[in-house]
Amino acid sequence: MFSTAERATFERDGYIVVRGLLDEQALGPVRQVIARSVDRRVQQLHQQGLISQSYEGEPFERRWARVFAEYSRSPHPAPHLTVWGRHDILDRAVYDLYTDPRLTGIATALIGPAITANGDFWVRPKAPGDQTTTLAWHQDSFYYGGVVADHLQVLSVWIPLVDVDQRNGCLKVVPGSHHFGLIPARTNQNNHQEPVAPISTYGTPVDEPMQVGDVFFFHNHTLHASGDNTTDLVRWSIDLRYSPAGQPFDWHKMGDEYNVHYPCFVAASSDPAQVDSWEEWQARWMANLPKS
Ligand SMILES: O=C(O)CCC(=O)C(=O)O
């Protein structure tokens, strides 16, 4: 399934884009979950009088763009979230994506044989002109804040839900930058983490345009960023993370608490009895629902 050449690419570059890996059957249900989340948010903003209409009937890529455009023009826009996740996006469709054999086959080849699906999965609505979603160069480890050791691995999987290129803020990456290990970082004016040294210290950045169905797998030390969305449609994506099953949570600043706030589940194992069901994963989230 994952060839020796593909593994060599991942080891050399710290990432690989696998073209045409997923189909509509895998991605359509995730888009529907997001569309329902959009609808809840739109209805709430409308009821609060923050937008004049609910833009029903607009297609998936345009509805949130229109809402965002109106709401960000209001004199006192309420803070909005640039990443959507946790309970709000939790759904069997996300479990099904996380356990899709096309993803777990590659993840087990890279960090297996048994893998945990991490609870920090994020949907990113990159709205037109919303520069708060233009992510600075970073290694994912910048945001983990825990112990850094070669045996502690987190594999990120970035999945576009619309075609992406330089116009709507596709991912950019510095091939081979993972070989530097964790590099020094600081917080920038947008509250993003970024390297202290110029990016050219670590190599030559490349843009990675992708089509729906392509999947980007990357190492927790691979430098990447995303550009501005200069189109009039939302750049929707979802990113998932896997770790070797049984790995301690030392890589995260919360330690074991991470697994309480972001419950994990075993997504693949050579022993099927070890794999957690959707019901088990859902129950872990429900046990920690924020008190309203
Ligand atoms: O989706 C984006 O714009 C950036 C995603 C990213 O940096 C990540 O998933 O680590």
Side-chain angles (χ1 to χ4, degrees), residues 185-198:
R186 64 180 172 211
T187 306
N188 72 10
Q189 71 282 5
N190 291 331
N191 216 21
H192 295 162
Q193 298 293 304
E194 66 178 14
V196 174

Side-chain angles (χ1 to χ4, degrees), residues 124 126 135 138 140 158 171 218 224 226 235 237 239 241:
R124 299 184 196 256
K126 191 188 268 292
L135 267 191
H138 65 282
D140 277 358
W158 192 88
L171 287 194
F218 59 101
H224 61 288
S226 70
R235 191 223 67 186
S237 61
D239 39 273
R241 290 177 177 74

